[in-house]
């Protein structure tokens, strides 16, 4: 819940206000911070639960849940803008910029 709230309150508004290459850079930066800092350290803190409790009850691991939360709360709402930014970058590359 806390992770979802943080992604919706802080990360998503930062991405919805931008477009183009800046959007792609910010998305990559937020993804990197989310996975390498937040999910990695939570995974280390809850390693015992992941190894025993999660396997026993067939639940998602911390890493899997972190990826799912980022995808559903951040990427899906901005995926059209990301696609447009990528297409514009391709067009600029083809034109020689």
């Amino acid at each position: 819940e806390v992770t979802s709230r943080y992604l919706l309150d802080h990360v998503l508004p930062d991405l919805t206000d931008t477009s183009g290459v800046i959007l792609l850079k910010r998305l990559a930066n937020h993804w990197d911070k989310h996975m390498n800092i937040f999910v990695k350290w939570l995974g280390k803190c809850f390693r015992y639960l992941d190894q025993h409790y999660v396997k026993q009850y067939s639940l998602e691991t911390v890493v899997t849940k972190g990826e799912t939360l980022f995808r559903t709360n951040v990427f899906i709402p901005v995926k059209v803008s990301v696609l447009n930014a990528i297409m514009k970058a391709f067009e600029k590359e083809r034109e020689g910029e």
Side-chain angles (χ1 to χ4, degrees), residues 8-86:
L8 290 172
D9 293 345
H10 298 296
V11 176
L12 188 59
D14 185 43
L15 296 175
T16 55
D17 296 338
T18 60
S19 62
V21 177
I22 297 170
L23 171 66
L24 297 176
K25 288 180 181 180
R26 285 186 181 178
L27 180 65
N29 186 29
H30 285 297
W31 170 254
D32 187 48
K33 286 180 180 178
H34 179 73
M35 289 306 294
N36 290 331
I37 296 171
F38 188 73
V39 173
K40 178 181 175 180
W41 288 105
L42 276 180
K44 286 182 179 184
C45 289
F46 296 109
R47 182 174 292 150
Y48 181 79
L49 287 175
D50 274 351
Q51 291 175 349
H52 301 286
Y53 183 81
V54 170
K55 284 183 181 179
Q56 183 179 2
Y57 292 101
S58 301
L59 302 172
E60 288 182 301
T61 63
V62 172
V63 173
T64 307
K65 188 64 175 178
E67 290 172 352
T68 303
L69 287 174
F70 193 88
R71 185 181 314 112
T72 57
N73 292 324
V74 176
F75 184 72
I76 290 176
V78 297
K79 69 181 178 183
V80 173
S81 300
V82 170
L83 178 64
N84 291 335
I86 292 171

